[in-house]
């Protein structure tokens, strides 16, 4: 048995394990940037200035957490920016509301580093309840989104 075999993965060469590790590292470092970039097309044309918040979160928060092994917190936080942007800008139609509810499903299992944005998301839903008083479809959406 050559010495190049990985101890953790018998039968797989060390170079393959290192290549997979490099790929996973790249994905974990690129996902927060891609998620924050996805906020740009979500925002409406007149509200593009809101992109400053995810960019600031990415530049300040991601740099602080990349020194430690908490890369999943940056990914989860960037995912919450997408949730907040979809809720704020794209949930006036039934399709937007369905999209928001679908992308909320994985959010229940995200990192504990998202507790600040979770409260911001709940605050945005609480502000939507005022407009939901007149519209029954809006009541159903706000009720199911806040569960």
């Amino acid at each position: 048995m050559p010495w190049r075999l990985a101890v953790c993965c018998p039968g797989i060469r060390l170079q393959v394990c290192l290549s997979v590790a490099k790929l996973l590292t790249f994905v974990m470092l690129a996902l927060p940037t891609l998620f924050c970039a996805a906020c740009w097309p979500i925002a409406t044309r007149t509200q593009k200035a809101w992109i400053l918040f995810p960019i600031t979160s990415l530049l300040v928060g991601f740099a602080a957490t990349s020194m430690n092994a908490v890369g999943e917190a940056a990914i989860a936080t960037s995912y919450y920016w997408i949730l907040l942007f979809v809720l704020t800008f794209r949930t006036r139609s039934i399709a937007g509301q369905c999209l928001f509810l679908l992308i909320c499903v994985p959010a229940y299992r995200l990192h504990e580093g998202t507790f600040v944005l979770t409260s911001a998301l709940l605050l945005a839903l609480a502000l939507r309840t005022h407009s939901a008083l007149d519209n029954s479809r809006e009541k159903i959406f706000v009720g199911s989104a806040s569960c």
Side-chain angles (χ1 to χ4, degrees), residues 32-33 36 51-68 70 73-74 77-78 81:
T33 307
C36 286
I51 197 69
L52 291 175
F53 291 109
I55 289 173
T56 304
S57 170
L58 181 68
L59 294 176
V60 175
F62 188 55
T65 60
S66 64
M67 302 302 175
N68 300 325
V70 286
T77 303
S78 300
W81 281 114

Side-chain angles (χ1 to χ4, degrees), residues 92-146:
R92 299 297 176 204
S93 67
I94 294 176
Q97 291 174 353
C98 290
L99 172 70
F100 178 75
L101 292 174
L102 282 175
I103 62 176
C104 272
V105 172
Y108 291 113
R109 305 287 294 171
L110 289 178
H111 195 265
E112 63 269 5
T114 61
F115 70 95
V116 175
L117 282 175
T118 303
S119 58
L121 194 65
L122 289 174
L123 177 67
L125 279 169
L127 294 174
R128 287 285 293 270
T129 58
H130 180 66
S131 66
L133 295 176
D134 300 334
N135 190 347
S136 62
R137 187 188 77 191
E138 191 76 16
K139 283 182 190 177
I140 293 169
F141 168 68
V142 171
S144 59
S146 40

Side-chain angles (χ1 to χ4, degrees), residues 19-68:
S19 297
V20 170
K22 288 178 185 178
L23 178 67
L24 289 175
T25 301
F26 173 75
V27 168
M28 285 196 69
L29 291 174
L31 269 178
T33 307
L34 293 173
F35 282 161
C36 286
C39 292
W40 179 261
I42 295 171
T44 59
R45 185 170 295 170
T46 60
Q47 303 292 330
K48 293 289 186 187
W50 283 86
I51 197 69
L52 291 175
F53 291 109
I55 289 173
T56 304
S57 170
L58 181 68
L59 294 176
V60 175
F62 188 55
T65 60
S66 64
M67 302 302 175
N68 300 325

